[in-house]
Amino acid sequence: MLEDSSFAIHPGQKKQMQTPDYKEIGNVLKVVKTESGASVNTESGTLFIKFYRDDIVRFVLNPFGETTLCSSPALITDGEKTEVTVCEKNGQILLSSAKLQVYLEKSPLRITIADPDGRVLVKEGAKGMGFKESKEIICYKEMEPEDHFYGFGEKTGFLDKRGEKMTMWNSDVYAPHNPETDSLYQSIPYFMTLRNGFAHGIFFDNTFKTTFDFRSEETNYSFSAEGGQINYYVLAGPTPKDVLEQYTFLTGRMPIPPKWAIGYHQSRYSYETEQEVRELAKTFIEKGIPLDVIYLDIHYMDGYRVFTFDKERFPNPKQLIKDLKEQGIRIVPIVDPGVKEDPEYYIYQEGIRGDHFCKYIEGNIYFGDVWPGNSAFPDFTSSKVRKWWGEKHRFYSDLGIEGIWNDMNEPAVFNETKTMDVKVMHDNDGDPRTHRELHNIYGLMMGESTYSGMKKQLNGKRPFLLTRAGYSGIQRYAAVWTGDNRSFWEHLQMSIPMVMNLGLSGIPFAGADVGGFAHDSNGELLVRWTQVGAFIPFFRNHSALGFARQEPWSFGEKYEKAIKKYIELRYQWLPHLYSLFAEAHHTGTPVMRPLMMEYPKDENTYNLSDQFMVGDNVIIAPIMQPSVQHRVVYLPEGNWVDYWTEEVFEGGKHHLVKADLNKLPIFIKQGSILVHGSVKRSTAIKDEKLTLHLYYGKSTSSSFKLYEDDGSTFEYEQGNYLRKIFHVKCTKDEISLTISDEGSYKPEWKEIELIVHGAPENFALIINGQEKSLQKKENNWRTVIC
Ligand code: MIG
């Protein structure tokens, strides 16, 4: 109560900046070379320095006991054997790999990390690493005036987190989501620093509550944890894409999603009956609005018991799912972790008999209040429990379900702390740890369980999982939506940097509820939000019970028309987007990118929070204010073409552009390629033909990797895919296009038509060395290229 009153800023409340019991690690006593690094004895325990690759180095130290090289489940690798030399230089110890140099100053211990040219990435100055009596551990690093910070998973506020202080503690926050809301549903203790156009990363793999502080001191930043080891990885960069490749080498990349998962999704808390779901699908079909997924929120269940259907509301789910699938529409049901305490309910019975629920050290089960009432929670830190829970999903897969929605998996509990008692002891496969230590990975482990279970049961088909909570590595199992936003223009604005930073945190498949979850949406907001959603990786319209309905037709014909246009546009762009998802799978580079990722030397991009890129050649500059039809757009170097009018804009400049309600400003870089399919009512309908749009630009070159596979199985892992690589080079009067194929997949489409935009009269088109003729149609030139 007092926290909400002025008492909160009572002069007596002022906290001391420096907690007096902070202790430094102290001096280096001895250094011993190890296989891929060194073991360093310090006054406060052993520091292991281990290279995972030439461009990734890990530092681990436990000031309270023996240091171990154990990792959290975020890690998918123990690293590659790396050639490292250790020597003494000017009184310092130097460890070097081909790409990184680690200098240790001995008294007191101070670490400096540089590249082979001496460019400093990470440096400890007045302060280094330390700890407190409370078992808190903390690392200080120097902060340069030029530094900008990105990543941190799911955070409110703008793109660049300089000046912020952020806590990682998975939290169910219904409201508010505003600039001072700190912890949300995800904990990604990782960030990227951009300094003078060069990037490097730090992944602080500690599952306790962690804090990243870029606010309290002028020349240092810090990252700290309530417990556990000092345990972080430095990623060398030097480009933002390199950092993501390095981070996802450690924590994994997203699988290629089933194609249906990147279509348009419609949700509501809740579509409550079979009848309502059928009518919803029918309306989409009648109105010709494309749709791939309908969600079932908590009302489908029998008394909120997971792995059940309410027999009255959903008398025949199997038939419903079958009928909808024939229309190209899939059903994704919600599955929460809480299992109702009910001795007559089979999941509860199995959970008790199999000893699958979280317990106190004394042996009593932890119960918490969630939707079904008093509930027990599966202990997902145990592989035995994950297997059991995963297998339970046969209930859904037998009904024809291929996607699952995990909510409340922070875990959320209806009590003062909003979560499980931190004293609960997780089994952790025989290495028991408190909930305080493992809270942040509960959602990740539930994701592993659900994804693996579904994958097994789908006989080679790709499952889809949507999750609210997660920790580093969650991208291996799930797409992430940003939880309970509201139908506020401010939340539309906030979703752009939030989803961009998720992408910069290794989670490319993310999105916010289109239209806003709580509060009443309105026609104009829903149109503008759908325009954004169409280009955001995860595209779902969702809204809460008790608020205005939010289906595309909810606000009248004028708005419906505009909304339909942008859902259709999503489908037209799917081959392009799918190719970018494949790139995310292979390299970790996100689909939706901040401009700084492509233009890291351009300061104008560093905190650009209201524009984004799709791939490396498309800029989306949405309108995100009511009654506004103009906005400023920043275009970086090069020339840019308005997607709708083909007007050319010079880069390196700000422009004022007009965009009435029907227009989402989209700019394509001159010299680059876009691939389109056709508008369709669901991804179940295959493209017969693709269109390759080439935007001529004098003295430019670019490339695009068109990716295609069956869209539904894991055969791509065996090489059954097609990657068509297009290289374009434009000179004054010539466009040369080279096309090469990789992989064995034979696509459904039989033809690619090339449309050249903005070329000079009488240009020559050379494809793989051969001149090819074109036909002029309106202002463009066309020809079939394969
Ligand atoms: O406490 O299942 O964020 O998307 O509709 C609310 C009901 C629980 C929160 C999710 C929201 C979902 C809702 N859930």
Side-chain angles (χ1 to χ4, degrees):
M1 194 186 78
L2 288 173
E3 268 177 29
D4 296 338
S5 73
S6 309
F7 186 78
I9 47 169
H10 187 284
Q13 297 280 311
K14 193 164 170 257
K15 292 213 182 79
Q16 296 219 316
M17 288 297 278
Q18 268 285 327
T19 330
D21 70 2
Y22 169 75
K23 254 185 89 176
E24 289 252 333
I25 295 301
N27 298 339
V28 171
L29 307 175
K30 190 173 147 203
V31 180
V32 179
K33 187 176 172 344
T34 56
E35 191 174 83
S36 294
S39 160
V40 181
N41 283 353
T42 75
E43 287 179 317
S44 308
T46 309
L47 166 69
F48 288 131
I49 304 177
K50 181 180 163 186
F51 282 79
Y52 274 54
R53 287 193 332 203
D54 283 333
D55 50 1
I56 302 174
V57 58
R58 178 183 183 189
F59 298 85
V60 202
L61 189 151
N62 183 354
F64 302 101
E66 216 162 293
T67 305
T68 77
L69 279 165
C70 294
S71 300
S72 83
L75 263 284
I76 58 161
T77 174
D78 293 328
E80 292 167 358
K81 195 170 167 251
T82 307
E83 206 59 56
V84 181
T85 61
V86 180
C87 63
E88 190 140 4
K89 210 175 152 185
N90 310 330
Q92 295 190 340
I93 309 290
L94 168 62
L95 279 77
S96 28
S97 72
K99 294 199 179 142
L100 281 172
Q101 307 215 300
V102 176
Y103 293 89
L104 305 179
E105 232 173 87
K106 288 195 279 193
S107 51
L109 167 62
R110 287 291 182 269
I111 300 174
T112 298
I113 303 165
D115 76 0
D117 300 330
R119 182 178 54 86
V120 172
L121 313 182
V122 174
K123 186 169 188 291
E124 295 172 348
K127 290 195 257 181
M129 304 190 286
F131 54 95
K132 293 181 185 173
E133 231 167 81
S134 61
K135 301 242 161 96
E136 188 182 324
I137 48 119
I138 180 158
C139 303
Y140 291 95
K141 306 288 172 202
E142 283 190 347
M143 181 159 70
E144 301 292 337
E146 302 76 35
D147 289 353
H148 301 271
F149 302 98
Y150 309 95
F152 311 97
E154 190 181 57
K155 294 291 169 199
T156 60
F158 294 98
L159 181 66
D160 179 0
K161 299 304 184 200
R162 192 181 173 109
E164 300 294 335
K165 182 174 174 182
M166 293 159 286
T167 311
M168 304 293 170
W169 182 252
N170 289 4
S171 307
D172 171 15
V173 185
Y174 174 64
H177 292 191
N178 70 28
E180 64 175 356
T181 310
D182 184 358
S183 299
L184 285 173
Y185 316 88
Q186 299 271 329
S187 290
I188 314 294
Y190 152 82
F191 64 97
M192 181 190 290
T193 305
L194 187 66
R195 178 182 296 164
N196 300 321
F198 294 97
H200 67 265
I202 289 185
F203 172 35
F204 180 34
D205 185 21
N206 181 310
T207 63
F208 280 87
K209 182 184 281 178
T210 52
T211 302
F212 292 78
D213 187 353
F214 300 83
R215 179 185 294 162
S216 303
E217 297 187 22
E218 218 177 295
T219 55
N220 282 308
Y221 66 80
S222 70
F223 47 92
S224 59
E226 276 192 354
Q229 305 194 109
I230 291 176
N231 178 28
Y232 64 95
Y233 300 76
V234 174
L235 316 170
T239 70
K241 286 182 193 176
D242 293 333
V243 175
L244 268 174
E245 190 279 328
Q246 290 147 3
Y247 174 69
T248 54
F249 168 80
L250 296 175
T251 62
R253 302 186 181 121
M254 71 173 292
I256 297 187
K259 262 193 192 168
W260 60 266
I262 64 168
Y264 174 71
H265 301 205
Q266 184 64 50
S267 186
R268 171 88 182 167
Y269 168 30
S270 299
Y271 295 122
E272 291 192 15
T273 64
E274 182 171 329
Q275 199 46 37
E276 195 181 357
V277 173
R278 284 185 187 275
E279 268 159 31
L280 179 76
K282 200 167 139 232
T283 312
F284 270 95
I285 293 164
E286 279 171 5
K287 289 180 174 292
I289 302 173
L291 175 68
D292 263 88
V293 187
I294 294 174
Y295 284 72
L296 298 184
D297 208 322
I298 53 176
H299 290 91
Y300 78 87
M301 293 177 270
D302 170 16
Y304 308 118
R305 288 171 186 82
V306 286
F307 307 101
T308 68
F309 266 93
D310 181 293
K311 295 223 160 54
E312 261 159 46
R313 297 169 195 251
F314 288 87
N316 193 348
K318 195 161 191 171
Q319 193 62 43
L320 171 73
I321 287 154
K322 182 164 173 276
D323 292 346
L324 291 190
K325 214 183 256 184
E326 273 162 20
Q327 307 288 338
I329 300 166
R330 280 175 170 78
I331 292 285
V332 171
I334 198 166
V335 178
D336 293 351
V339 172
K340 187 178 177 67
E341 181 215 2
D342 169 3
E344 296 178 348
Y345 163 40
Y346 78 112
I347 299 291
Y348 185 71
Q349 292 170 343
E350 280 184 32
I352 295 291
R353 293 201 183 109
D355 193 16
H356 296 321
F357 293 126
C358 296
K359 292 194 290 195
Y360 285 99
I361 191 167
E362 294 80 8
N364 45 328
I365 292 179
Y366 170 79
F367 287 101
D369 187 26
V370 273
W371 294 117
N374 207 34
S375 299
F377 294 81
D379 187 355
F380 292 113
T381 66
S382 147
S383 39
K384 178 196 77 169
V385 175
R386 290 200 298 279
K387 192 156 171 265
W388 166 68
W389 185 263
E391 277 168 4
K392 287 295 110 193
H393 285 75
R394 202 171 289 286
F395 171 79
Y396 296 109
S397 57
D398 281 350
L399 293 171
I401 286 169
E402 297 167 41
I404 299 289
W405 170 21
N406 283 166
D407 185 22
M408 305 288 279
N409 52 348
E410 294 73 27
V413 181
F414 303 149
N415 64 20
E416 278 277 292
T417 68
K418 293 179 157 197
T419 193
M420 189 177 281
D421 188 338
V422 291
K423 289 193 307 229
V424 165
M425 206 67 168
H426 290 288
D427 168 70
N428 197 35
D429 281 340
D431 180 17
R433 300 296 168 115
T434 58
H435 189 67
R436 192 167 81 93
E437 178 166 354
L438 299 186
H439 171 80
N440 281 343
I441 62 164
Y442 191 82
L444 172 71
M445 300 322 279
M446 183 182 187
E448 194 280 332
S449 163
T450 307
Y451 184 81
S452 306
M454 286 296 284
K455 186 172 175 181
K456 248 188 230 141
Q457 287 140 32
L458 289 179
N459 297 320
K461 275 202 206 160
R462 301 174 200 168
F464 167 70
L465 179 62
L466 178 65
T467 186
R468 195 169 71 175
Y471 181 78
S472 293
I474 189 66
Q475 66 272 11
R476 307 196 295 263
Y477 314 119
V480 167
W481 102 99
T482 58
D484 296 341
N485 63 358
R486 314 206 126 216
S487 301
F488 295 162
W489 289 92
E490 290 85 346
H491 280 191
L492 168 57
Q493 293 158 15
M494 187 174 70
S495 72
I496 308 285
M498 191 183 279
V499 180
M500 288 197 288
N501 272 319
L502 278 164
L504 286 172
S505 306
I507 304 170
F509 202 6
D513 283 343
V514 168
F517 174 66
H519 200 71
D520 291 331
S521 201
N522 61 69
E524 188 186 1
L525 178 60
L526 187 57
V527 170
R528 293 303 195 187
W529 210 319
T530 307
Q531 291 173 345
V532 169
F535 288 93
I536 286 216
F538 178 63
F539 185 21
R540 181 181 77 154
N541 172 319
H542 181 46
S543 62
L545 146 161
F547 298 102
R549 295 203 69 100
Q550 212 166 274
E551 292 78 18
W553 49 85
S554 300
F555 301 103
E557 234 170 88
K558 170 174 142 198
Y559 301 111
E560 178 184 332
K561 232 178 104 202
I563 292 165
K564 181 179 176 186
K565 173 177 164 185
Y566 282 89
I567 298 177
E568 285 179 343
L569 194 67
R570 168 75 168 211
Y571 281 76
Q572 213 177 353
W573 278 62
L574 278 180
H576 196 88
L577 294 171
Y578 192 58
S579 300
L580 295 174
F581 274 98
E583 184 184 346
H585 163 71
H586 284 109
T587 65
T589 305
V591 176
M592 175 193 192
R593 304 175 192 169
L595 276 74
M596 55 70 66
M597 177 156 244
E598 296 297 335
Y599 299 94
K601 308 247 185 251
D602 181 347
E603 284 184 26
N604 290 307
T605 67
Y606 291 173
N607 201 12
L608 197 54
S609 303
D610 63 353
Q611 295 179 212
F612 60 95
M613 298 192 76
V614 173
D616 65 1
N617 63 334
V618 177
I619 288 178
I620 308 287
I623 301 271
M624 298 186 287
Q625 269 174 271
S627 316
V628 165
Q629 306 213 329
H630 290 83
R631 62 159 289 167
V632 170
V633 178
Y634 177 68
L635 298 172
E637 62 169 30
N639 287 321
W640 298 80
V641 184
D642 180 315
Y643 176 72
W644 304 105
T645 64
E646 306 209 2
E647 188 186 341
V648 178
F649 291 83
E650 208 182 307
K653 277 187 182 166
H654 292 83
H655 296 272
L656 182 65
V657 301
K658 178 158 202 288
D660 64 25
L661 187 66
N662 287 296
K663 182 170 173 178
L664 168 70
I666 303 173
F667 299 89
I668 318 294
K669 187 153 197 185
Q670 269 194 357
S672 75
I673 283 177
L674 274 189
V675 180
H676 282 359
S678 44
V679 175
K680 46 182 94 64
R681 75 183 152 72
S682 142
T683 57
I685 297 173
K686 305 285 179 216
D687 283 310
E688 280 165 21
K689 171 190 154 188
L690 297 184
T691 308
L692 197 130
H693 295 276
L694 193 161
Y695 293 83
Y696 170 84
K698 196 172 135 195
S699 312
T700 60
S701 66
S702 75
S703 62
F704 184 76
K705 293 181 183 149
L706 174 66
Y707 177 86
E708 187 63 289
D709 63 15
D710 63 25
S712 66
T713 75
F714 286 92
E715 280 184 32
Y716 68 86
E717 290 175 348
Q718 267 68 56
N720 196 15
Y721 62 83
L722 172 69
R723 188 177 287 116
K724 252 190 189 314
I725 305 169
F726 298 94
H727 287 286
V728 198
K729 221 179 145 194
C730 303
T731 59
K732 198 165 103 262
D733 46 16
E734 193 181 283
I735 297 176
S736 112
L737 188 60
T738 52
I739 309 173
S740 58
D741 287 359
E742 277 174 16
S744 57
Y745 183 70
K746 297 264 170 298
E748 315 251 339
W749 39 266
K750 296 288 172 262
E751 183 183 307
I752 298 182
E753 184 183 23
L754 171 71
I755 302 187
V756 178
H757 301 257
E761 288 295 335
N762 301 325
F763 74 98
L765 172 68
I766 316 283
I767 298 184
N768 288 345
Q770 301 248 313
E771 179 150 10
K772 177 126 185 131
S773 63
L774 299 103
Q775 279 187 335
K776 187 159 185 197
K777 227 178 170 181
E778 288 142 40
N779 286 322
N780 303 319
W781 289 263
R782 294 166 189 245
T783 183
V784 172
I785 54 171
C786 40

